[in-house]
Every structure is written in C-alpha cells, then in structure tokens.
Amino acid sequence: MTHSVAFVAIESEKRQQWTVKADALTAGSDHTVTDAVNDAIRAAITRLIQSHEVDLDAYTGPVYFMMHGVRSEERARELAAALHAALYGQLEPLARAVPPVP
C-alpha cells in the first residue's frame, strides 16, 4: 500500500501446498483492472480448478484473487507472477501459465 502497487504473494500451507493471493486495492484508487483483465483472470482460475491444480474454494475477483492447493512452490510463483502481470494489463504471462483450452 505504501508504494501503491498491487499486492501479490504466495504462502505455504500445511500438507506441502501453496496459496497464491493478489489484491488490486492496494494499488490505489487510480489503478483500474479492466473487465477484460478480470474475465481473463477468472477464466484462468476456472481452468485451474477444472484441472484440479487449485482447490474449489478459489476466489476469482474482481479485485481480490486467491487460489489454495497449489502443489509446488515453483508453480505458485509462476501463477503469482502471471497474476501480477495481468493486474497491470499484461495477459501474455497468464496465457502461458494457464493456456486457454483449444
């Protein structure tokens, strides 16, 4: 909040799983997340749920996102980085991390 940027983090859960969290409110009132970005993030999280990569209790926005049950720290970091980029309008990392279903 001090630096007016979106908060994105991973945290270790019990059972050697990880949680990815993002909060766009910390970026300040002049930062907006477009509907297209929200739709892309929501669709990616839905695909992760359907592929059983994250738990069913994922929170899909519109300004706060959370995914429990990520199986490795490396994957959690990849998803967090992709989510951070998406919150700033760069959707390519999210599409690489969670490819659309053909």
Side-chain angles (χ1 to χ4, degrees):
M1 289 179 81
T2 302
H3 300 290
S4 296
V5 295
F7 170 81
V8 179
I10 65 169
E11 67 182 37
S12 176
E13 296 179 8
K14 52 189 165 201
R15 303 177 323 265
Q16 297 178 324
Q17 294 181 344
W18 296 82
T19 295
V20 177
K21 297 179 179 180
D23 186 346
L25 286 178
T26 60
S29 59
D30 59 335
H31 179 81
T32 58
V33 179
T34 67
D35 289 342
V37 167
N38 270 317
D39 290 345
I41 293 171
R42 187 173 297 111
I45 293 173
T46 298
R47 288 192 302 276
L48 290 167
I49 292 168
Q50 290 170 341
S51 67
H52 305 288
E53 278 198 70
V54 301
D55 293 343
L56 292 171
D57 63 350
Y59 193 78
T60 59
V63 294
Y64 184 74
F65 306 88
M66 183 169 38
M67 296 173 277
H68 292 287
V70 180
R71 304 305 188 262
S72 73
E73 180 179 0
E74 181 179 346
R75 181 64 167 152
R77 289 182 182 279
E78 176 185 27
L79 293 173
L83 189 53
H84 184 266
L87 290 174
Y88 285 93
Q90 300 172 344
L91 295 175
E92 298 84 12
L94 186 62
R96 282 192 308 271
V98 188
V101 177

